[in-house]
Amino acid sequence: MALKMTVRDEGGVTVLALDGRMVLGEATTAFREKVRSLLAEGKVKIVLNLENVTEIDSSGLGAFVASHRSAASEGASMRLCHLGAKFKEVLQITKLLTVFDVSDTEEEAVRAISR
Amino acid sequence: MLEEPTSNEAGLEVVAPGGARRFVRITESPFFIGRGGETAKHLQLADPRISRSCAAILVEAQRHVLEDRGQRHGIFVNGEKIARRVLDDGDVVTFGVENFYELKYCASTLDSSITDVLSRIEHLTTSDPASGGGLHKLNVLLEATALLHSRLPLESVLGTMLDHAITVTDADRGLLLEADSAGGLQVRLARQSGGRHLAAENLTPSQTAIRMALDRHSSVITEDLAQAVPDLQVAVSIVAQRLRAVVVIPLYTMPQHNSMESTSHGRHGDFLGVVYLDSRRPAAFSKLDRRILDALASEAASILDNARLVERERERKRLEQELGIARDIQQALLPRGFRDFPHMTVSGTNIPCLTVGGDYFDVFPMDNGRTAFLIADVSGKGLGAALLTTMLQGALTGMSIGADPARVFAHINRFLCEHAEVGRYATMFFGILDRDGSLEFINAGHPSPFLLCEDGICEPFSEGSFPVGLVDGAEYTVARHQLRPGDTMILFSDGVTEAMDPADDMFGVERFRDALGGLRSAPLEQLQRVVLDGVQRFTRGAAQADDITVLLVRYGASQAS
């Protein structure tokens, strides 16, 4: 599969690390499923680590927004880190930088979400 | 009633009471079926139980309609009595009498040469029941047919195969069961001896017998069951069938030579299905030569396999056709031939990366001499994205009847958030240009168009809002800019800037700007060519990964620009 996902616990914060291509198809479906199941397990602090994501297409962006919405509706917080220059630019053009909570590194994201 | 030749190449498979078959093409309308004379001029069934004027087939609205013209015992289609009925491919017509002709309607016939061959094969088969030769020839024919992509009625071929199995084993009835994707078995076809149709519900196959055949990867007859299951009461379904004799032939594809699976399955390939035969006579199959069963197994498997290939190919062609229709619809949405508006000239092009795509653009007049233009890029690609473009175009026509653009966008956003699949959205750039060069625009998450002006190339249209369909309750605002005569806007979808070369480098905004340098006054067609050629040269043959759309708008106070 194009996308690998690993879940870690960092002091009560769930870190979901993504590895590969977040593109139309299995990857976006699997990602949304994963977030849904994390929320169903009662996780309320989720950090998405995009350091090893090589590509995000329009469907990938849609998946991130949809997951963000799901988290918000469950009363959970979600934060993105290690965005990469290209994805940051896409978020700028689509004005979505204001919608997501973003940190540069995982450590900062975990700290910020724990406050 | 006028007699006219039918253009539809449909026909009837006429099955005589003894099992003999022939194809008769429906060559004229009305097509008369009867016992003799004028009213039987197209198909004569010589039997006193047929009325002189029996039935007729007419062409109505490109379909064939069967009419009862006085058959004493009634005309039946698929067992149901009719007075008048539109015929569908595969419908079986009977005449209300036992042991009689049966007509099967085929919506398209084979080439006459293939028809002749099929009847000749039928003769061979019935005259030499012990030989597998006839079936082998049928199999070769099917392979050739698959190659020719001709319209062979598959159910006919499979029916002939099953009839042959029934004849060779001297069974009463037979079922063809096909393996489905869920690992179960579905009844594909049911026949009784004499080449007659059988309602599948009349035969409940013995699961015990089938399971044994699958376990052994080889044919099973009743005697095998009796040996394996000493207490026959346990094989409940056999008792329920009143001790009918049974033959079960499992069908497998030819094993691939280098496949690892062939070692675990022995010498067998993939499981295709089962031929199931039974007889009222309890010892019907006890003298059957195993070699006959093996020959049947291999030929029947080959036929079924080829039939599935032909089916898959036809389905693929059908889908291709549907996509072709969708493409035509989508192309028709785009503005055809850019008429010059009084204060601007326009040029644009759209190249989807699949048959249909998620980009579109439009130009249309508004009130007061203003003209609207837009580019939209729906997330994803292919049919799902394409459907949204048609939705958008419909919604945006609200603009031309005077609705406020910001409210229309908010409305579209609400609609998409509610009705489109989650995560499906569109980025859009929408502009309204007035005669004096004042531009109002809404940028919904789209990259800023370039502006070629006296001072150079810039991207002054970034001010805007979210894409539509992504964020609930998003608000859209109209921003403003003043164009000067000769200024050219270049709207594009990210398929241009994100086009990739074989080394996975992106075309990018910088290269795009460089390509446009010094071309402020060039004719729009030339500018458009430069952009597309630039992308093509850069990608050096790498496959197009996203839809590419470009729309150029030049403001000119005079016609000369």
Side-chain angles (χ1 to χ4, degrees):
Chain A
M1 206 188 21
L3 185 75
K4 278 197 283 285
M5 300 181 282
T6 18
V7 180
R8 278 181 276 121
D9 184 286
E10 304 287 340
V13 174
T14 310
V15 175
L16 174 57
L18 304 173
D19 190 321
R21 308 169 60 223
M22 183 64 136
V23 294
L24 177 68
E26 264 188 74
T28 44
T29 323
F31 168 71
R32 303 221 359 245
E33 251 320 298
K34 181 58 115 191
V35 171
R36 223 173 289 154
S37 67
L38 286 175
L39 292 172
E41 288 169 32
K43 307 280 192 263
V44 293
K45 297 193 178 126
I46 303 177
V47 166
L48 299 179
N49 188 329
L50 309 185
E51 182 162 26
N52 295 321
V53 173
T54 52
E55 189 186 334
I56 304 174
D57 71 359
S58 57
S59 305
L61 175 62
F64 280 125
V65 175
S67 301
H68 180 90
R69 255 216 305 256
S70 308
S73 66
E74 300 283 329
S77 13
M78 185 181 276
R79 218 166 164 91
L80 279 67
C81 65
H82 288 291
L83 289 188
K86 169 142 186 268
F87 188 46
K88 222 179 267 176
E89 198 188 324
V90 169
L91 288 183
Q92 233 144 29
I93 295 177
T94 54
K95 312 289 185 289
L96 288 170
L97 215 39
T98 54
V99 164
F100 290 110
D101 298 320
V102 173
S103 299
D104 284 333
T105 65
E106 186 183 304
E107 296 70 40
E108 285 170 25
V110 169
R111 234 181 303 133
I113 208 173
S114 303
R115 266 188 243 120
Chain B
M1 182 104 60
L2 276 174
E3 295 190 3
E4 32 175 79
T6 55
S7 53
N8 191 354
E9 284 271 292
L12 294 169
E13 189 187 6
V14 181
V15 186
R21 292 158 192 254
R22 55 194 162 110
F23 270 97
V24 175
R25 263 192 267 180
I26 301 174
T27 47
E28 279 182 68
S29 169
F31 178 94
F32 290 112
I33 304 170
R35 191 173 78 229
E38 261 299 301
T39 50
K41 68 188 272 199
H42 297 111
L43 178 58
Q44 182 175 17
L45 304 172
D47 187 301
R49 292 171 292 172
I50 278 286
S51 306
R52 205 170 158 74
S53 168
C54 170
I57 296 179
L58 312 143
V59 172
E60 261 171 40
Q62 320 270 357
R63 304 291 301 277
H64 279 121
V65 179
L66 176 67
E67 260 184 19
D68 184 341
R69 287 288 177 94
Q71 164 62 358
R72 195 180 314 133
H73 305 283
I75 306 271
F76 296 78
V77 175
N78 299 332
E80 217 183 286
K81 186 160 198 256
I82 59 112
R84 182 161 222 282
R85 166 88 108 102
V86 173
L87 289 171
D88 286 315
D89 188 46
D91 277 351
V92 174
V93 180
T94 45
F95 298 87
V97 286
E98 285 290 300
N99 256 328
F100 196 68
Y101 288 94
E102 196 177 272
L103 307 178
K104 185 155 151 194
Y105 175 70
C106 301
S108 62
T109 51
L110 314 167
D111 256 359
S112 59
S113 52
I114 298 179
T115 317
D116 292 334
V117 174
L118 255 192
S119 351
R120 272 184 274 129
I121 285 176
E122 258 308 304
H123 281 302
L124 269 176
T125 310
T126 48
S127 66
D128 186 11
S131 113
L135 210 55
H136 173 68
K137 286 168 190 159
L138 187 60
N139 189 27
V140 170
L141 176 67
L142 187 52
E143 281 169 356
T145 305
L147 284 172
L148 293 171
H149 301 290
S150 75
R151 292 152 64 88
L152 185 70
L154 286 175
E155 297 310 292
S156 256
V157 172
L158 293 177
T160 304
M161 183 263 280
L162 196 54
D163 290 340
H164 176 82
I166 291 172
T167 311
V168 163
T169 57
D170 201 19
D172 289 340
R173 313 183 300 186
L175 278 186
L176 173 64
L177 298 131
E178 204 177 349
D180 66 23
S181 49
L185 278 173
Q186 298 295 324
V187 176
R188 175 84 188 247
L189 208 54
R191 308 287 290 170
Q192 36 183 334
S193 65
R196 287 172 300 157
H197 173 73
L198 174 72
E201 308 80 68
N202 294 346
L203 209 173
T204 16
S206 156
Q207 296 304 316
T208 321
I210 292 177
R211 233 177 299 124
M212 179 177 284
L214 296 185
D215 286 342
R216 294 188 182 181
H217 290 288
S218 120
S219 303
V220 156
I221 62 175
T222 340
E223 279 69 15
D224 301 328
L225 269 174
Q227 279 164 20
V229 182
D231 180 3
L232 259 182
Q233 307 284 325
V234 175
V236 165
S237 52
I238 295 225
V239 174
Q241 303 275 338
R242 273 173 267 141
L243 289 175
R244 279 172 173 266
V246 156
V247 175
V248 180
I249 307 174
L251 308 176
Y252 301 89
T253 59
M254 287 304 296
Q256 306 294 331
H257 285 292
N258 296 321
S259 140
M260 297 301 280
E261 286 91 73
S262 61
T263 49
S264 57
H265 286 169
R267 36 187 184 83
H268 298 281
D270 297 327
F271 176 58
L272 284 172
V274 161
V275 167
Y276 182 95
L277 308 160
D278 80 2
S279 166
R280 267 166 307 216
R281 292 165 293 118
F285 306 122
S286 48
K287 300 266 186 352
L288 261 187
D289 190 330
R290 286 279 167 182
R291 288 171 299 175
I292 290 183
L293 292 182
D294 289 344
L296 261 181
S298 101
E299 293 296 349
S302 198
I303 289 180
L304 185 56
D305 201 16
N306 282 326
R308 278 148 65 116
L309 281 174
V310 170
E311 255 174 350
R312 273 201 290 272
E313 176 62 18
R314 273 202 221 154
E315 180 61 16
R316 194 191 63 77
K317 280 204 138 70
R318 191 187 65 80
L319 285 177
E320 220 172 64
Q321 231 183 353
E322 303 243 339
L323 268 184
I325 292 171
R327 181 195 51 224
D328 290 343
I329 292 175
Q330 198 171 49
Q331 285 303 304
L333 286 186
L334 298 175
R336 321 193 197 223
F338 292 98
R339 28 182 282 238
D340 288 329
F341 299 87
H343 54 298
M344 56 191 249
T345 41
V346 182
S347 176
T349 189
N350 164 252
I351 309 169
C353 89
L354 300 173
T355 315
V356 288
D359 282 358
Y360 95 99
F361 62 91
D362 203 357
V363 185
F364 54 87
M366 300 256 292
D367 50 3
N368 300 330
R370 304 188 302 160
T371 308
F373 56 92
L374 68 105
I375 191 170
D377 181 347
V378 177
S379 65
K381 39 190 177 189
L383 203 50
L387 286 176
L388 218 85
T389 64
T390 61
M391 217 197 288
L392 284 176
Q393 195 180 48
L396 285 164
T397 57
M399 220 81 83
S400 56
I401 50 170
D404 167 37
R407 290 186 62 190
V408 173
F409 268 67
H411 167 76
I412 293 175
N413 183 58
R414 266 193 308 272
F415 185 87
L416 289 183
C417 284
E418 235 172 291
H419 292 107
E421 321 127 65
V422 184
R424 179 79 71 182
Y425 63 92
T427 65
M428 293 210 285
F429 185 93
F430 174 80
I432 305 177
L433 187 58
D434 206 336
R435 292 194 200 235
D436 62 1
S438 59
L439 175 75
E440 286 184 355
F441 67 91
I442 296 181
N443 183 337
H446 200 83
S448 163
F450 286 114
L451 178 65
L452 272 63
C453 57
E454 261 168 15
D455 310 323
I457 307 174
C458 53
E459 296 156 69
F461 308 106
S462 304
E463 184 186 341
S465 184
F466 299 119
V468 290
L470 209 49
V471 178
D472 241 324
E475 281 174 12
Y476 299 87
T477 44
V478 173
R480 283 171 176 73
H481 193 92
Q482 180 65 42
L483 294 187
R484 282 171 290 173
D487 283 355
T488 307
M489 285 178 67
I490 303 183
L491 293 77
F492 56 92
S493 65
D494 61 10
V496 174
T497 42
E498 296 186 7
M500 296 219 272
D501 70 3
D504 278 352
D505 282 323
M506 284 197 335
F507 187 61
V509 170
E510 288 314 309
R511 272 195 200 88
F512 198 169
R513 287 173 80 123
D514 292 343
L516 296 169
L519 290 171
R520 184 198 171 228
S521 322
L524 289 185
E525 288 66 35
Q526 184 189 345
L527 254 178
Q528 186 172 301
R529 247 302 45 98
V530 162
V531 173
L532 294 176
D533 285 349
V535 171
Q536 198 174 41
R537 254 180 294 124
F538 173 77
T539 54
R540 271 182 288 140
Q544 186 182 334
D546 197 1
D547 309 317
I548 287 178
T549 307
V550 181
L551 176 65
L552 299 101
V553 177
R554 173 170 289 158
Y555 170 60
S558 72
Q559 298 275 17
S561 312

